Amino acid sequence: MACFLVSAGEAAVVSIVKKSVEKKEASGKEHSKKEGAAKEISLSTKLHWLSSLLLGGAVLLAFEHVWHGEVVPWFPFLTAMSDPGDAAEMLQEMGTVGVGMAALITAVWAVMCKAADVIVKRPEQEAQKDAAA
Amino acid sequence: MTLLITIFAAVTATVKWYNRKNDDMRLGTLCFLYWGASLMWLVDAIFEFAELKSAYFTPDPQDMLNDAFLGLSVVALGLIIWVVRLLIADPKGSVRAALRKG
């Protein structure tokens, strides 16, 4: 009914956090350059992945809701909002399916970040050996 | 059916991204769009399966056709979003060159 709103909300929060992290990283860049820090994926890049996954999914799911007539271009935009019974059902769906969707995407993103860190830190020789196999 | 079609689109986009020569085509956008939607529909499918049990795997042909049509429309919408973002970002400068020429 409106499960995509949970992911869209999380995407908005993540985007705000990403902006502040980007600012912090930009100010700390000079310092890390001097120290010659090892190459690693920045937190802002990882947060960009999460917001893209959440927002991408939310946009395509919003289209599905338009397709099924659950989202309309006039107020209150969600057809379930016009009836209190439907509104309660919608909120319950957001709390179960919606939260489940956001949680799965966040969990997959966490695994993706861990895997990306391992791949980046993997020695070049090992990567070539893997490619040859 | 929508989930299956979106997963196929996500895998195809990921393979294309993996084999890219450079990042000019911004294929990452497509991957995020389709994988995000696939994961969300997967959760939807799990909840639906918990409710319908085995009946989930024997859908009405009319519903299946509608779902397939929806899946293809979702893939088309994803492609439109990607191509619009690509034209706006214009990483190769092709749009700028064409506009300056005209």
Side-chain angles (χ1 to χ4, degrees):
Chain A
M1 284 180 166
C3 45
F4 67 94
L5 288 178
V6 179
S7 299
E10 191 187 334
V13 173
V14 171
S15 297
I16 293 165
V17 173
K18 191 189 88 179
K19 287 277 174 206
S20 87
V21 168
E22 271 174 349
K23 277 183 190 169
K24 276 183 189 171
E25 283 175 352
S27 62
K29 224 173 194 176
E30 286 300 313
H31 181 69
S32 63
K33 261 183 191 172
K34 281 174 192 167
E35 283 182 350
K39 185 153 176 62
E40 57 184 31
I41 302 162
S42 64
L43 180 61
S44 62
T45 304
K46 288 174 181 171
L47 289 172
H48 170 72
W49 296 345
L50 179 59
S51 68
S52 298
L53 275 173
L54 288 164
L55 206 64
V59 166
L60 295 186
L61 246 79
F63 174 73
E64 187 223 337
H65 287 71
V66 172
W67 181 281
H68 288 135
E70 291 165 351
V71 174
V72 286
W74 54 84
F75 191 79
F77 307 109
L78 300 164
T79 46
M81 289 297 280
S82 51
D83 181 67
D86 286 347
E89 198 186 324
M90 181 190 80
L91 289 173
Q92 197 207 344
E93 199 196 83
M94 282 170 75
T96 52
V97 183
V99 170
M101 286 170 171
L104 179 68
I105 287 186
T106 311
V108 168
W109 167 77
V111 173
M112 195 173 129
C113 289
K114 195 81 193 156
D117 282 336
V118 170
I119 291 167
V120 165
K121 283 172 188 164
R122 193 193 290 169
E124 200 68 32
Q125 272 184 330
E126 202 177 308
Q128 282 172 354
K129 210 185 286 173
D130 284 352
Chain B
M1 200 62 166
T2 313
L3 171 65
L4 270 178
I5 290 171
T6 319
I7 287 176
F8 280 125
V11 171
T12 308
T14 309
V15 170
K16 284 273 177 198
W17 172 84
Y18 186 78
N19 286 321
R20 74 198 186 285
K21 296 274 184 287
N22 51 48
D23 215 18
D24 282 353
M25 294 306 283
R26 302 279 169 101
L27 288 167
T29 307
L30 262 187
C31 296
F32 284 127
L33 271 169
Y34 292 144
W35 278 120
S38 298
L39 290 170
M40 286 168 82
W41 268 310
L42 176 68
V43 174
D44 205 31
I46 291 167
F47 275 91
E48 215 174 315
F49 175 74
E51 197 183 310
L52 300 173
K53 305 281 184 249
S54 58
Y56 176 78
F57 297 108
T58 50
D60 186 34
Q62 191 69 33
D63 289 344
M64 218 163 90
L65 188 68
N66 186 265
D67 276 356
F69 192 27
L70 172 63
L72 291 174
S73 303
V74 162
V75 172
L77 178 66
L79 288 171
I80 290 168
I81 293 170
W82 166 69
V83 88
V84 167
R85 276 200 68 179
L86 183 70
L87 291 177
I88 291 170
D90 193 20
K92 278 185 164 178
S94 304
V95 177
R96 208 173 109 153
L99 291 173
R100 282 193 170 181
K101 207 175 174 185

